[in-house]
Amino acid sequence: MKELHNPLADPFFDGLDEHIKPLALELRELIFEASDQMSEEIKWSKPSYSHDGLVCYLQPAKSHVNFGFYQGAQLPDYGNLLEGDGTKMRHIRIHKLSDIQPEPFKSLIWEAIEFNQK
């Protein structure tokens, strides 16, 4: 069985502020629930997840975590969850655990994987 967590990413999560850490860890688990083929790396100073190309990332801030999608502008956003106005990337701002919506978030992950496979 493939080890999903990259041990090289653990120090990143261990070093997060106590308010942000549970949010990032919950999102990390959700990403791996969505795809057991996801690869985890630290890229551009943040955890990045790939499956046939870049899929998503976690970007901690002082009071929230951005759950971002590298090709978010090209994804169908049926829940109107994605923020941002860049040409490619979009994110969802997570302030508390109750902001995490497992099924809609997994759907976005699956859409991003499908986008990469085109």
Side-chain angles (χ1 to χ4, degrees), residues 5 9 12-13 16 20-32 40-49 55-61 64-70 89-94 100 105 109:
H5 296 132
F12 177 91
F13 291 96
L16 294 175
I20 299 302
K21 187 175 183 177
L23 305 176
L25 290 173
E26 185 74 19
L27 289 165
R28 185 187 198 192
E29 292 307 314
L30 185 137
I31 290 165
F32 289 124
E40 179 181 55
E41 298 177 81
I42 300 295
K43 288 181 176 259
W44 306 289
S45 302
K46 60 186 170 248
S48 296
Y49 301 87
V55 173
C56 58
Y57 62 89
L58 300 176
Q59 178 67 56
H64 66 277
V65 175
N66 281 343
F67 177 35
F69 291 86
Y70 287 103
M89 296 168 67
R90 296 285 186 274
H91 65 273
I92 303 168
R93 194 169 289 190
I94 308 296
I100 298 173
F105 289 11
I109 293 168

Side-chain angles (χ1 to χ4, degrees), residues 1 27 37 44 59 69 79 84 88 91 103 107-108 118:
M1 182 174 166
L27 289 165
Q37 298 301 307
W44 306 289
Q59 178 67 56
F69 291 86
K88 292 187 179 185
H91 65 273
E103 293 313 309
S107 292
L108 285 166
K118 291 180 182 175

Side-chain angles (χ1 to χ4, degrees), residues 74-115:
Q74 282 70 42
L75 301 179
D77 182 13
Y78 301 114
N80 207 22
L81 299 169
L82 297 173
E83 300 177 39
D85 55 11
T87 58
K88 292 187 179 185
M89 296 168 67
R90 296 285 186 274
H91 65 273
I92 303 168
R93 194 169 289 190
I94 308 296
H95 291 276
K96 56 191 183 298
L97 285 171
S98 61
D99 291 340
I100 298 173
Q101 301 175 43
E103 293 313 309
F105 289 11
K106 286 180 189 178
S107 292
L108 285 166
I109 293 168
W110 296 328
E111 292 287 347
I113 293 169
E114 187 176 308
F115 178 84

